[in-house]
Amino acid sequence: MAGVVVFGVGLLFMHEADQHFIDLDRMTLLDKQHLIEEILKDTASPKDLRWRLREALSHHHGLFSQVKDPSSAIIFESKDFISVPKTSEDNTLLTWKNEGIEFRAIRSQFLSVTMPASAFEITVALDTQHHQHFLNDLQRSFAIYAVLATLISGLLGWWAAHQGMAPLRAMKLRAAGVSGQQLDARMPIAAVPVEMADLARALNKMFDRLQEDFRRLSEFSSDLAHELRTPISNLLTQTEVTLNSEREGAVYRDILASNTEELQRLSRMVSDMLFLAKTEQGSDLLHKEQFSAAKEVQALLDFYEVVAEEQDIHLSSQGEGSLFCDRLMFRRALSNLLSNALRHTPTNGDVVVDISATERMMQIMVINTGSAIDPTVIHRLFDRFFRADPARTHLTSDSTGLGLSITKAIVDAHGGTISVQSDSTSTRFSMTFPH
Amino acid sequence: MKILIVEDEPKTGEYLRQGLSEAGFMVDLAQTGPDGLHLALQGQYELVILDVMLPGLDGWQVLASLRQRDLHMPVLFLTARDQVEDRVKGLELGADDYLVKPFSFAELLARVRSILRRGRAGTDLATTLKVSDLELDLLRRRVIRAGKRIDLTAKEFGLLELLMSRHGEVLPRSLIASQVWDMNFDSDTNVIEVAIRRLRVKIDEGHEVKLIKTLRGMGYVLEAPEDS
């Protein structure tokens, strides 16, 4: 690159120098021409003339001149005068080559004061070889500079690139150290140039997300093992103890029924987890359709009505709007919120489903009266297997601890949001779905 | 009534055979796709229960071969992959129903009976249902037990209608939720339990003979003592 630049500058310079030399030569030639004219004007005797011309012109190296009197007889000619090609025009700069040497010349007519109506012919010519030498030297120098510049800029470029890549190499090293177990490495944002800081930041954010996902995944695995271990060990113990001695038929039936219930809960947990995994995979499994939110809500309220009545809870809905969702999934999401609300609403409380539309989203809110959820755990409500009330053991509850996670996964798959707010008088779960 | 089970998992197959036999069906069991297809082509089965994942030929292929040979007995699929595509594929091929593993036996039995009842459509057009001294009038939406009118809510009426129309059958909670409330997913609520308890108070309280029974871990059944 640098070589090309130097080469280009060289060409330009050479061209300029050439022009400059032409101008210079023209001026020199005109100068000499005037000198000759002055001499011709001042001097009458041909002898004096010859002498003065020789005095004036013969010392100039590389300058050739010739003066012809009106009768075309040569009155002065410098040594080694070369023949100048005939030109049609006088007073123009003529350039030609003779045996590889470039010459420039100007020819002019001078009307003699002493002999009017007749003219002297003045020819002055210059050997431009010294210019050529200079230009050749220049050309050579430029060539050398160009090569040097190329080499140096190449070296500099390599060095700069090497220096510039240093942060990238540092990042590469960090990245090479990252694995599933080792996700806490971060790109050195402070140590990299501004241009790369954005990349480093983006990579760090990616690592944050991955680390969070990994953490949740491994937590989930251990939670899952824990959730399965207790009921399985209960089932095993109970079955083994039962087999240890002879019992009444009714006792066997009772134990088998109890085992069945426990197994059904486990089976539901497995199905729920499969459902969760499937839903979190993406939204391509959704069968979206347009339907009335109020109608769907009413169907669910009808379903839960008996349970609400049993607990003297007033169950109602307000507002309406149109939803574009997977209807079965929506039912399931809202059903989980409702059953959750009914579990946590005290006797004589209220559960209200509120449907409202904002510009871009439909909001479905489930509001229940009751005491506040502990603010230290509220953000964990949607975590799998999380139970706000640690005293509630899974053996007495039919819940798999996955209900709210499933609701969140369904809302997420639809591109919506879910949130929960709780104060001393009520708790509100809010789902939004895009129109 | 003859049922063919094609299931390669030996324990599952054996339990299904035992369960369905005890429920009063004649049951044959095959363990591979080709065996299943062979039996299905020979015997006069009223229902085929097909596992999807089978050695030799998978469940879809067996079903396709049956339909190609103009055999249109109902087919119930058992699938471990609860993927929507499977569902769509099965229903396109002409499956009548499917169950996702793990499923409860009560649920399977209820589905089997539903499918076989569907095959005999037209016989169920009675406008009144009667079990013991309990009568349900579908047209006038009235329920009478031992000559006394009983007031039911719409959902209670629907629930009783389901129990009576399938009296003697154990109905699992999920089937009741699906048939009466159109809730087609497992929910962890006790809605069905509560609804049955309330219905039982209205129907059975004050009567010596209790018609609605709970079978722990399986579901609910409405039957007259002489039924069992």
Side-chain angles (χ1 to χ4, degrees):
Chain A
M1 189 60 211
V4 171
V5 170
V6 171
F7 184 72
V9 168
L11 275 185
L12 208 68
F13 190 80
M14 298 285 279
H15 177 75
E16 284 299 311
D18 211 30
Q19 278 302 313
H20 175 72
F21 284 138
I22 291 172
D23 289 343
L24 211 61
D25 287 350
R26 178 187 287 119
M27 267 157 66
T28 312
L29 289 171
L30 285 174
D31 209 31
K32 293 300 167 198
Q33 183 193 330
H34 283 140
L35 183 66
I36 294 169
E37 282 171 4
E38 286 301 315
I39 295 171
L40 285 175
K41 213 188 286 174
D42 291 350
T43 321
S45 105
K47 201 180 160 200
D48 278 359
L49 197 62
R50 230 172 251 126
W51 182 80
R52 284 192 65 178
L53 283 171
R54 181 169 299 115
E55 277 296 295
L57 303 169
S58 62
H59 304 298
H60 197 295
H61 177 75
L63 178 76
F64 308 97
S65 46
Q66 184 190 53
V67 181
K68 288 181 180 171
D69 70 7
S71 61
S72 284
I74 295 169
I75 53 172
F76 173 79
E77 190 179 81
S78 53
K79 208 167 116 222
D80 303 326
F81 184 78
I82 40 100
S83 70
V84 176
K86 290 272 170 234
T87 56
S88 51
E89 276 181 82
D90 289 333
N91 293 319
T92 52
L93 189 70
L94 180 70
T95 306
W96 81 99
K97 269 195 170 166
N98 188 9
E99 292 170 9
I101 299 165
E102 199 176 65
F103 292 94
R104 290 204 180 92
I106 290 181
R107 196 193 304 267
S108 63
Q109 306 291 322
F110 180 72
L111 294 175
S112 161
V113 192
T114 49
M115 288 171 276
S118 59
F120 292 92
E121 186 188 90
I122 304 166
T123 308
V124 279
L126 266 175
D127 173 358
T128 66
Q129 218 177 348
H130 60 287
H131 299 333
Q132 204 53 53
H133 283 312
F134 173 76
L135 284 176
N136 285 346
D137 285 351
L138 206 63
Q139 219 168 350
R140 201 175 309 118
S141 305
F142 270 121
I144 292 168
Y145 289 147
V147 170
L148 270 178
T150 310
L151 282 174
I152 290 170
S153 73
L155 274 170
L156 276 174
W158 175 83
W159 183 78
H162 188 76
Q163 287 300 107
M165 291 295 144
L168 274 184
R169 277 199 306 281
M171 285 161 85
K172 185 189 128 190
L173 270 177
R174 297 269 173 111
V178 171
S179 70
Q181 286 75 42
Q182 202 68 53
L183 263 173
D184 46 5
R186 289 295 178 274
M187 294 301 162
I189 292 180
V192 301
V194 192
E195 298 87 350
M196 277 181 212
D198 274 349
L199 173 66
R201 249 190 293 277
L203 283 171
N204 281 349
K205 281 200 184 117
M206 179 187 85
F207 281 131
D208 288 345
R209 287 194 301 273
L210 282 177
Q211 193 171 23
E212 177 64 14
D213 286 354
F214 259 78
R215 187 188 61 75
R216 283 179 29 198
L217 204 63
S218 66
E219 257 184 35
F220 178 54
S221 308
S222 60
D223 283 355
L224 176 61
H226 180 76
E227 290 288 329
L228 292 176
R229 194 174 48 201
T230 319
I232 286 175
S233 96
N234 285 349
L235 281 168
L236 202 60
T237 315
Q238 193 177 22
T239 310
E240 282 172 352
V241 168
T242 310
L243 286 173
N244 249 341
S245 52
E246 202 76 17
R247 283 159 217 279
E248 296 273 305
V251 177
Y252 283 127
R253 229 190 319 277
D254 203 43
I255 288 162
L256 282 175
S258 138
N259 281 3
T260 306
E261 282 167 357
E262 191 60 25
L263 286 166
Q264 278 170 348
R265 208 183 63 81
L266 282 175
S267 153
R268 199 162 52 236
M269 193 191 292
V270 170
S271 304
D272 280 359
M273 289 187 15
L274 279 175
F275 180 84
L276 258 181
K278 213 171 63 182
T279 311
E280 284 176 355
Q281 254 170 36
S283 55
D284 49 336
L285 293 171
L286 301 177
H287 292 274
K288 288 194 189 177
E289 55 183 311
Q290 199 85 39
F291 57 87
S292 152
K295 244 170 121 179
E296 244 358 77
V297 168
Q298 194 50 52
L300 278 161
L301 294 189
D302 285 349
F303 183 58
Y304 284 106
E305 187 58 46
V306 284
V307 176
E309 273 177 28
E310 284 275 304
Q311 295 173 244
D312 282 325
I313 293 169
H314 185 243
L315 196 57
S316 64
S317 75
Q318 60 197 36
E320 57 182 287
S322 175
L323 275 168
F324 185 65
C325 305
D326 187 312
R327 189 202 293 257
L328 190 61
M329 292 245 199
F330 173 74
R331 263 194 186 189
R332 193 162 178 174
L334 185 57
S335 160
N336 288 337
L337 290 187
L338 280 172
S339 91
N340 182 68
L342 285 170
R343 266 202 298 274
H344 294 100
T345 307
T347 306
N348 287 322
D350 284 292
V351 174
V352 180
V353 180
D354 179 90
I355 308 162
S356 61
T358 64
E359 203 177 311
R360 312 184 60 204
M361 305 292 256
M362 279 297 300
Q363 188 183 51
I364 314 288
M365 210 152 37
V366 176
I367 308 153
N368 69 277
T369 55
S371 52
I373 299 172
D374 183 353
T376 57
V377 301
I378 198 164
H379 65 283
R380 296 192 57 202
L381 284 183
F382 299 108
D383 284 3
R384 301 176 230 213
F385 300 126
F386 179 77
R387 289 182 181 88
D389 176 12
R392 184 208 301 280
T393 67
H394 56 275
L395 282 174
T396 57
S397 156
D398 246 1
S399 155
T400 59
L402 291 169
L404 290 178
S405 313
I406 286 179
T407 297
K408 182 178 188 316
I410 290 172
V411 172
D412 286 347
H414 281 87
T417 60
I418 189 162
S419 61
V420 55
Q421 288 171 333
S422 185
D423 56 39
S424 57
T425 57
S426 69
T427 296
R428 41 188 71 207
F429 281 88
S430 161
M431 301 189 282
T432 64
F433 293 92
H435 277 311
Chain B
M1 268 189 280
K2 279 176 78 184
I3 295 178
L4 172 65
I5 302 168
V6 192
E7 163 66 74
D8 63 323
E9 216 289 303
K11 267 195 171 178
T12 310
E14 203 41 62
Y15 286 138
L16 287 182
R17 176 173 34 202
Q18 191 190 343
L20 288 171
S21 298
E22 285 175 9
F25 297 100
M26 308 253 295
V27 187
D28 287 332
L29 175 65
Q31 294 201 332
T32 67
D35 286 359
L37 181 61
H38 182 74
L39 278 176
L41 293 174
Q42 308 258 309
Q44 304 276 306
Y45 296 102
E46 281 186 70
L47 172 72
V48 178
I49 299 173
L50 262 178
D51 189 21
V52 173
M53 306 288 277
L54 285 172
L57 290 168
D58 71 22
W60 311 128
Q61 289 169 314
V62 173
L63 174 62
S65 302
L66 287 178
R67 295 297 186 244
Q68 251 171 29
R69 278 162 223 204
D70 246 3
L71 283 170
H72 293 285
M73 75 276 268
V75 170
L76 172 71
F77 266 102
L78 307 178
T79 170
R81 292 177 294 167
D82 56 342
Q83 300 281 318
V84 176
E85 306 91 81
D86 279 12
R87 222 174 273 183
V88 172
K89 192 173 169 188
L91 296 176
E92 265 174 8
L93 283 168
D96 294 84
D97 206 347
Y98 61 90
L99 266 176
V100 175
K101 287 179 180 175
F103 53 84
S104 78
F105 181 74
E107 177 83 34
L108 175 83
L109 191 58
R111 299 277 190 110
V112 165
R113 287 186 166 135
S114 295
I115 293 174
L116 292 175
R117 183 172 288 109
R118 229 181 285 157
R120 283 175 277 122
T123 59
D124 271 6
L125 285 175
T127 55
T128 54
L129 298 168
K130 196 168 185 309
V131 175
S132 189
D133 55 353
L134 177 64
E135 266 178 74
L136 182 138
D137 186 332
L138 282 164
L139 290 180
R140 284 188 283 179
R141 321 242 359 127
R142 276 204 327 205
V143 176
I144 293 165
R145 175 139 197 209
K148 255 174 79 183
R149 174 99 181 257
I150 299 171
D151 279 325
L152 295 180
T153 66
K155 290 294 172 192
E156 283 168 348
F157 189 89
L159 179 57
L160 184 63
E161 182 191 341
L162 176 71
L163 286 167
M164 286 183 78
S165 67
R166 304 186 65 164
H167 65 95
E169 291 178 25
V170 181
L171 303 178
R173 291 196 303 182
S174 56
L175 184 115
I176 294 172
S178 151
Q179 299 272 310
V180 179
W181 283 274
D182 194 23
M183 293 294 149
N184 293 302
F185 51 85
D186 278 340
S187 58
D188 54 14
T189 62
N190 55 346
V191 169
I192 310 300
E193 221 177 292
V194 175
I196 291 277
R197 191 163 67 227
R198 298 178 133 221
L199 182 65
R200 185 182 280 145
V201 168
K202 290 189 178 176
I203 300 294
D204 281 341
E205 215 171 54
H207 295 272
E208 183 141 348
V209 175
K210 310 291 182 201
L211 296 174
I212 301 173
K213 294 177 185 112
T214 303
L215 284 142
R216 254 187 89 194
M218 291 182 68
Y220 305 95
V221 62
L222 185 145
E223 60 184 356
E226 63 266 28
D227 278 5
S228 52

